[in-house]
Amino acid sequence: MTWFAFRLGPASFGIFDTFADEQGRTDHLNGRIAAALGDSVALLATAPTIDQIDILAATPL
């Protein structure tokens, strides 16, 4: 897994995770990190959204 944190605006942020396979993504979304985020939702201005996308192509750095 790799992940990236990014800023969309003055008070808007995102996290982008990548996984080796669908099982890794499923395990992550059902694991302790997702549970901790759900427990912390009261600290956020709005509830987080989770969009699942599929990477079609990538190049190494």
Side-chain angles (χ1 to χ4, degrees):
M1 178 181 96
T2 58
W3 66 273
F4 305 87
F6 56 92
R7 180 187 308 263
L8 294 166
S12 182
F13 302 88
I15 298 172
F16 178 83
D17 298 323
T18 62
F19 304 93
D21 55 27
E22 187 62 33
Q23 187 62 50
R25 176 170 35 187
T26 300
D27 291 347
H28 180 72
L29 290 173
N30 293 323
R32 63 182 176 85
I33 301 296
L37 179 59
D39 292 343
S40 301
V41 73
L43 301 174
L44 304 173
T46 60
T49 58
I50 298 175
D51 297 319
Q52 295 184 34
I53 62 167
D54 295 318
I55 303 299
L56 301 178
T59 60
L61 295 175

